[in-house]
């Protein structure tokens, strides 16, 4: 028998990394000593005290049953405590906090709760590919907000036509930003809240990188700004902060109706997060600053090595204040894909082409800081010879 995919699957955008994946596999098959700077996944292990908490929790048979849909109250309380300590924001753990199977899960599901076919969703580009795909699955239409260097990689709301804003139901924003590494602050969030209020738009702020910052400059939460809790929610992840990408746990906080809507979708589709993981996550959220600054210092040393190295090659590169990405302009003689193929072939270094994050990312590549300093230095020297 032959089966056809549903229209929503046929409508998925082409997978722009497919060509790169193929080249990577070919290089590995040839035995190339590949330095892979394309991966947005920490190479560092989960801190030991979190792993130990998991070992203990997994032994408890109470955790072997179905968890509660919205997350254990103790986990939601730990999230609320963390928010108070980190951002001085008060949240009701019962109504304003929801556990997620990774923040990707919540981002992927939120349009199903609020977007009707034909509704517009405002989507930043270049950006996390889940925003437009989740919109597509809900039958919505993505309106691309380009993130350009000239605008500090912030969306320009004045460029969005009035009729689009009127049809917009939801807006995704993401700072510190993947892939551009841009950070922002109160003034921008106030603009977001003003637009959201005027046009009844639900704001979904993705704060996956709020704890990966440098030089002691701690990014703020959208929720810290007056009025944010009335217009939207914030997604968080334990993945990047505690090197827990494989564990699949995150959370959403904010407006109780938005949280409830997302909860309704989840109640009907999944059965929550394994409670042993939630117990370990409670321990993770209590991690001392010594361990977290250790992780940040590791990335900062890598950032400094790669930033200095790429600059010495004459490349235009943005020095990140947060995230583990370097958003780098390719030389004017090439485009994103040809630059990536060139350094893969000639230097055995893999980067991610910027256009894979949306067409406004054309002309850039993203380097991730997920390999040790020595390998970063080696990568720079190899690229130097290849250029
Ligand atoms: C990594 C990442 C996430 C998702 O992380 P989870 O592991 O699903 O919690 C969300 N948004 C951005 C921008 C990311 O880079």
């Amino acid at each position: 028998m032959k089966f056809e995919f549903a229209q929503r699957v046929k409508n998925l955008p082409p997978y722009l990394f497919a060509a790169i994946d193929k080249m990577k596999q070919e290089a590995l098959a040839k035995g190339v000593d590949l330095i892979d700077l394309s991966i947005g996944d920490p190479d560092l292990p989960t801190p030991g005290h979190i792993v130990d908490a998991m070992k203990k929790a997994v032994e408890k048979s109470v955790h072997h049953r179905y968890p509660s849909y919205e997350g254990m109250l103790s986990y939601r309380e730990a999230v609320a405590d963390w928010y108070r300590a980190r951002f001085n924001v008060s949240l009701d753990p019962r109504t304003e906090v929801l556990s997620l199977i990774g923040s990707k899960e919540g981002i992927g599901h939120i349009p199903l709760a609020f977007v009707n076919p034909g509704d517009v969703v405002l989507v930043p580009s270049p950006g996390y590919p889940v925003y437009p795909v989740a919109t597509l699955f809900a039958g919505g239409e993505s309106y691309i907000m380009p993130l350009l260097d000239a605008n500090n990689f912030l969306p320009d709301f004045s460029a969005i036509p009035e009729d689009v804003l009127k049809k917009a139901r939801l807006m995704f924003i993401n700072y510190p930003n993947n892939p551009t590494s841009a950070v922002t602050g109160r003034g921008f969030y106030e603009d977001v809240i003003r637009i959201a209020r005027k046009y009844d738009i639900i704001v979904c702020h993705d704060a996956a990188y709020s704890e990966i910052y440098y030089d002691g400059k701690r990014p703020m939460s959208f929720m810290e700004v007056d009025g944010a809790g009335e217009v939207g929610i914030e997604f968080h992840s334990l993945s990047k902060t505690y090197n827990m990408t494989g564990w699949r746990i995150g959370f959403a906080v904010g407006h109780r109706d938005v949280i409830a809507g997302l909860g309704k979708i989840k109640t009907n589709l999944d059965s929550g997060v394994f409670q042993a993981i939630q117990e370990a996550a409670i321990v993770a959220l209590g991690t001392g600053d010594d361990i977290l600054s250790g992780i940040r210092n590791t990335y900062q040393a890598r950032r400094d090595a790669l930033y200095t190295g790429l600059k010495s090659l004459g490349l235009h590169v943005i020095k990140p204040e947060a995230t583990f990405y370097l958003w780098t302009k390719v030389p004017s003689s090439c485009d994103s894909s040809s630059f990536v193929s060139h350094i893969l072939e000639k230097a055995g270094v893999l980067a991610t082409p910027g256009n894979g994050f949306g067409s406004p990312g054309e002309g850039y590549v993203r380097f991730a800081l997920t390999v040790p300093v020595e390998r970063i230095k080696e990568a720079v020297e190899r690229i130097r010879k290849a250029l």
Side-chain angles (χ1 to χ4, degrees):
M1 286 229 276
K2 202 163 163 274
F3 297 106
E4 245 184 76
F5 289 130
Q7 203 56 46
R8 71 178 67 78
V9 173
K10 290 190 194 162
N11 287 349
L12 281 169
Y15 183 61
L16 277 164
F17 303 130
I20 300 297
D21 283 350
K22 191 159 167 265
M23 288 173 65
K24 176 180 171 177
Q25 292 317 321
E26 284 167 5
L28 288 173
K30 271 192 278 173
V32 172
D33 172 29
L34 188 72
I35 304 178
D36 192 348
L37 303 179
S38 73
I39 302 180
D41 185 356
D43 58 318
L44 307 169
T46 306
H49 68 290
I50 302 171
V51 175
D52 288 342
M54 180 68 186
K55 285 184 189 161
K56 286 207 191 85
V58 83
E59 299 266 4
K60 296 187 195 161
S61 62
V62 287
H63 293 333
H64 300 168
R65 312 190 63 190
Y66 281 120
S68 62
Y69 293 113
E70 66 276 15
M72 294 157 75
L73 183 58
S74 53
Y75 173 62
R76 288 176 290 144
E77 282 168 346
V79 168
D81 290 346
W82 182 79
Y83 248 81
R84 194 172 309 104
R86 168 70 174 85
F87 300 118
N88 197 23
V89 169
S90 293
L91 297 167
D92 178 350
R94 290 172 194 277
T95 56
E96 295 175 328
V97 181
L98 182 67
S99 72
L100 297 173
I101 311 170
S103 59
K104 181 179 189 178
E105 179 262 303
I107 294 165
H109 282 149
I110 189 77
L112 291 178
F114 294 100
V115 174
N116 285 312
D119 285 348
V120 167
V121 175
L122 304 174
V123 168
S125 180
Y128 192 51
V130 185
Y131 314 139
V133 167
T135 301
L136 172 77
F137 283 173
E141 282 171 29
S142 292
Y143 180 87
I144 297 301
M145 304 188 290
L147 306 185
L148 307 176
D149 197 357
N151 233 342
N152 300 317
F153 301 105
L154 298 172
D156 175 7
F157 296 126
S158 70
I160 306 175
E162 181 85 15
D163 62 311
V164 171
L165 289 167
K166 283 185 178 152
K167 279 192 281 180
R169 200 59 184 113
L170 202 141
M171 172 189 339
F172 286 107
I173 49 172
N174 163 226
Y175 294 95
N177 183 260
N178 174 12
T180 68
S181 83
V183 292
T184 190
R186 193 173 295 275
F188 171 71
Y189 292 138
E190 283 169 354
D191 287 347
V192 169
I193 293 165
R194 194 172 38 76
I195 298 275
R197 278 211 171 113
K198 182 163 176 197
Y199 297 99
D200 280 319
I201 299 170
I202 296 168
V203 178
C204 294
H205 181 233
D206 179 353
Y209 295 93
S210 72
E211 307 314 303
I212 309 293
Y213 57 83
Y214 304 115
D215 308 310
K217 291 185 191 158
R218 300 205 303 179
M220 70 185 297
S221 160
F222 175 61
M223 290 296 143
E224 284 179 61
V225 183
D226 280 345
E230 287 153 44
V231 298
I233 62 172
E234 187 159 77
F235 289 102
H236 269 277
S237 169
L238 279 80
S239 291
K240 314 291 162 56
T241 309
Y242 308 104
N243 306 323
M244 288 174 72
T245 47
W247 296 57
R248 310 315 302 136
I249 184 157
F251 52 93
V253 307
H255 195 297
R256 65 187 61 201
D257 297 344
V258 182
I259 292 292
L262 179 53
K264 272 213 184 303
I265 299 296
K266 287 176 57 58
T267 310
N268 284 282
L269 287 178
D270 68 58
S271 301
V273 178
F274 182 26
Q275 288 197 0
I277 294 179
Q278 294 188 57
E279 269 212 19
I282 293 170
V283 171
L285 288 168
T287 299
D289 221 38
D290 46 338
I291 291 181
L292 294 181
S293 25
I295 295 172
R296 285 192 273 268
N297 288 342
T298 301
Y299 288 130
Q300 187 160 330
R302 295 172 178 183
R303 175 201 68 166
D304 293 344
L306 188 55
Y307 176 73
T308 313
L310 293 174
K311 276 211 74 98
S312 77
L313 304 180
L315 293 172
H316 173 77
V317 48
I318 290 146
K319 188 175 190 177
E321 284 178 28
T323 78
F324 42 61
Y325 303 116
L326 269 76
W327 192 236
T328 307
K329 246 195 176 130
V330 302
S332 51
S333 53
C334 30
D335 59 20
S336 296
S337 301
S338 62
F339 183 79
V340 167
S341 333
H342 182 76
I343 63 169
L344 178 58
E345 244 164 63
K346 298 283 190 274
V349 175
L350 190 59
T352 311
N355 58 339
F357 301 99
S359 57
E362 179 52 68
Y364 288 86
V365 292
R366 190 194 74 177
F367 290 101
L369 299 170
T370 46
V371 305
V373 167
E374 296 67 44
R375 295 290 278 171
I376 286 177
K377 287 185 174 161
E378 159 98 23
V380 170
E381 288 322 306
R382 290 201 210 158
I383 297 172
R384 190 186 308 282
K385 287 189 199 117
L387 288 183

